[in-house]
Amino acid sequence: MPSTTLQWLSLVAIIWLQAINGTNTNFPAYSSQLKQLLSISQMQLNNLAFASDAGKLFGWFSGLASVYLPLWLVLMIGSTLGLIGYGVQYLFITNQISSLSYWHVFLLTFLAGNSICWINTVCYVVTIRNFLPDRQVAVGITTSYQGLSAKIYTNIVDAVSPHKEAKTFLFLNSLLPVIVGLVTAPLVREIEVTSPKYSGVGFAVTFVITIATGIYAVLSSLQFVTSKISSLGILIGILVSLLIPLIVPLSVKIKELQGSWHKNREKLRVYHFTMEENTNEERAENEVKEGEESRDSFEEEFGIIEEIGVKLMLRRINFWLYFFVYFFGATIGLVYLNNLGQIAESRGCSGTSSLVSLSSAFGFFGRLMPSLMDYFYRGKHRISRPASMLAVMVPTSGAFFLLLNKSNLALYISTAIIGVCTGAITSIAVSTTTELFGTKHFSVNHNVVVANIPIGSFLFGYSAALIYRKEGHEPDHGKCMGMECYKSTFVIWGSFCFLGTFLALILHARTRKLYSQKQ
């Protein structure tokens, strides 16, 4: 029987991978230097920002690869794509390559964006397969660490290169995922444990560690803390917080050794060795059979409705309802957060960095929130995933209309709400895909679902940019100041969110009977 310790070690490995997989969030750190080197306009720079999201359009390639290739190989392919995409840009920005055109950089950014999908696919597949009955809990914990990615990279740059040089970000973007990928490659595989052990205590300890890490990340971003602690000190704290989850598999290993010791001790007291061996063999065979039956019955017990391939999925009404709920919810939220700096500037708000920290912190806890709910209500009557998405969509819609209020308080409250709700939908969506369409084809199916992110990034982002330019009081300088800059955009986004809320209600109504049969 495979060790339960390996199961928990795989969770720690996924936490590490997610913590360094948010490389696209570092784009603003080196975008200005790229703009100067390439002599491009602001609109062309926006195209490069879109290119990173556009890489998700082909994320389903990683899903197909995970079906036919070992997961460690899928992980290394993703890391290599990132090494090429970011590495060549690093050589260009350090003047070691001088022949790159704008479209070369566009394709490299696209490739780098696609690399994130490969690593994410491995993370989701391993987490779901190894913790199927607790998949929402495990997925929420691991994905929340991706919200810390920008914080981790920034802390490393602060400690190594205090001036936050663009080349340092690109260097880290290209190399760090490869290093962590090599370290975790032996652990990213399915661990067939017949009966998950210590899941309650293991997840409880992991929750405490994760929440403490999130609080530390927020506090260490505040100015009164950074003025007293050095950048290196903050970085060491972050790195230690990433190593602390190893406590869980180590504790499980100690438990296993204690159990093994007690078993061996009992054997010495038994005189009929042959009879006992036969009994143990029968017991072991029964355990394996029970484990296989248990694993086969997970689909019934834990709410998976049916196994559906991508072709059949695309013909289902439930898929398109789910697709557009995500499109009008989490995707619009991500577009808002990506434009947060410009939105704050147009309103005359000087606390852009505190807003970004606020959105990051609430996004982190938003991803974790569905897992906490799932953990505390395990074994009890739980609301369905579509109902959960419906509950989160309502405040998101209201937050966009609250932004029509010109006070800074409204801006901070709305940003916090959008951050937590966007994070929650992102986390809930992983389990929703498995429950509506099964685990067998999850790697392809979910990458098709999240393809709405680049589409939404293009449509919502560019429409906002056009309105921004149209409403600007200083169109010649490309800047717009005042509430009018984004007023129409917030009304449009809020209206689309309400539409998404209505679609979530329909999806909940259509799947309510199916979910109620699984309770």
Side-chain angles (χ1 to χ4, degrees), residues 83 86-87 90 153 166-177:
L83 177 65
Y86 290 116
Y90 167 76
Y153 280 95
K167 63 181 182 181
T168 312
F169 275 100
L170 279 171
F171 180 76
L172 290 172
N173 281 0
S174 61
L175 206 58
L176 199 55

Side-chain angles (χ1 to χ4, degrees), residues 338-349:
N338 287 338
N339 287 273
L340 191 55
Q342 203 168 31
I343 291 170
E345 181 188 55
S346 68
R347 297 167 72 103
C349 177

Side-chain angles (χ1 to χ4, degrees), residues 241-380:
S241 69
L242 291 175
L243 292 174
I244 289 177
L246 285 170
I247 291 173
V248 178
L250 285 174
S251 301
V252 170
K253 186 62 179 177
I254 292 171
K255 287 280 187 182
E256 287 182 344
L257 290 173
Q258 287 176 342
S260 178
W261 183 78
H262 284 301
K263 284 182 180 179
N264 291 331
R265 188 179 178 184
E266 287 297 321
K267 284 182 180 180
L268 294 174
R269 297 178 181 177
V270 179
Y271 295 96
H272 303 289
F273 294 99
T274 306
M275 185 180 296
E276 186 184 41
E277 286 175 6
N278 292 335
T279 304
N280 286 340
E281 286 177 8
E282 290 175 6
R283 191 180 300 155
E285 288 177 4
N286 289 335
E287 283 182 359
V288 171
K289 287 179 181 178
E290 287 174 7
E292 289 174 353
E293 290 172 3
S294 175
R295 197 160 185 88
D296 290 338
S297 66
F298 276 167
E299 284 77 5
E300 289 185 22
E301 189 176 350
F302 298 105
I304 294 173
I305 294 171
E306 58 181 321
E307 295 288 352
I308 298 175
V310 67
K311 291 182 180 178
L312 182 58
M313 181 183 74
L314 291 172
R315 294 200 293 265
R316 293 292 178 91
I317 294 175
N318 284 352
F319 165 76
W320 291 107
L321 287 170
Y322 171 40
F323 183 90
F324 282 109
V325 168
Y326 197 114
F327 186 70
F328 294 135
T331 298
I332 290 182
L334 289 171
V335 174
Y336 168 80
L337 296 174
N338 287 338
N339 287 273
L340 191 55
Q342 203 168 31
I343 291 170
E345 181 188 55
S346 68
R347 297 167 72 103
C349 177
S350 58
T352 305
S353 59
S354 59
L355 268 175
V356 172
S357 295
L358 183 75
S359 66
S360 177
F362 276 85
F364 173 86
F365 289 108
R367 290 169 185 258
L368 198 60
M369 184 175 64
S371 298
L372 284 168
M373 297 293 291
D374 207 75
Y375 177 79
F376 285 111
Y377 286 94
R378 60 168 60 196
K380 302 176 183 178

